[in-house]
Amino acid sequence: MKTVVLPVGEDALAEAARLIRAGEIVAFPTETVYGLGANALDGAAVLKIFEAKGRPADNPLIAHIAHPDALSLLARRVPERARALMRAFWPGPLTMVMPRGEEVSAVTCAGLDTVGVRMPSHPVVQQVIRESGVAFAAPSANLSGKPSPTNAPDTLADMDGRLPLILDGGECTVGVESTVVAV
């Protein structure tokens, strides 16, 4: 597979959304690190993330959304303390673990009955989520055990030939993964 790196623009965002809808994986910037995204509801697509990263299948992925209303597809219920945290910290680098909804692929959650969800603040991933119309299962875009990339060249170094597209949105601003809390 040839991996293409495209600078962020209208055509590149549309192509990323098309690939996600087609069951492929795409790398993109978030405010924390670059991530690999696939449709969180499509187990076959999510398996491609595990294969690309060499990640153990018992290590759950975080679902990324563009709007809190998307939680109704992912979480069986949203505790009030989660709503308070959303109001205070979303969009941003906070992941909340909640009871998994039936629509979420068991592959995304490594068979657990919970799902981690976050709403990133980076405009690139927000736009691709909106254009694709699906929540993303999205870990960092590196080979398992290697440092998480904060730019497109470092993402390409690990992922070249493992996915069709990397969106180059420049350097990430936070540089470390999101905080995870169980609610």
Side-chain angles (χ1 to χ4, degrees), residues 5-137:
V5 179
L6 295 176
V8 171
E10 193 174 307
D11 290 343
L13 293 169
E15 177 62 6
R18 184 194 70 74
L19 286 166
I20 295 285
R21 284 190 306 273
E24 293 296 333
I25 60 175
V26 172
F28 47 78
T30 73
E31 72 278 16
T32 57
V33 297
Y34 271 65
L36 291 179
N39 181 347
L41 307 181
D42 179 348
V46 174
L47 277 174
K48 292 177 182 180
I49 291 175
F50 286 96
E51 292 165 5
K53 286 181 64 72
R55 182 181 177 114
D58 64 350
N59 192 351
L61 305 179
I62 296 169
H64 291 57
I65 60 174
H67 193 277
D69 292 346
L71 276 174
S72 63
L73 286 175
L74 302 173
R76 193 168 48 253
R77 67 182 167 75
V78 180
E80 184 50 44
R81 76 183 77 147
R83 293 182 195 287
L85 289 168
M86 283 186 277
R87 287 188 295 274
F89 298 107
W90 277 8
L94 176 68
T95 298
M96 290 183 279
V97 179
M98 297 176 242
R100 176 170 65 99
E102 293 177 13
E103 299 292 320
V104 180
S105 170
V107 177
T108 299
C109 302
L112 299 174
D113 62 354
T114 56
V115 61
V117 183
R118 100 176 182 91
M119 189 169 76
S121 63
H122 198 287
V124 171
V125 68
Q126 282 276 326
Q127 184 66 28
V128 178
I129 292 169
R130 283 192 299 273
E131 285 194 32
S132 69
V134 299
F136 291 176

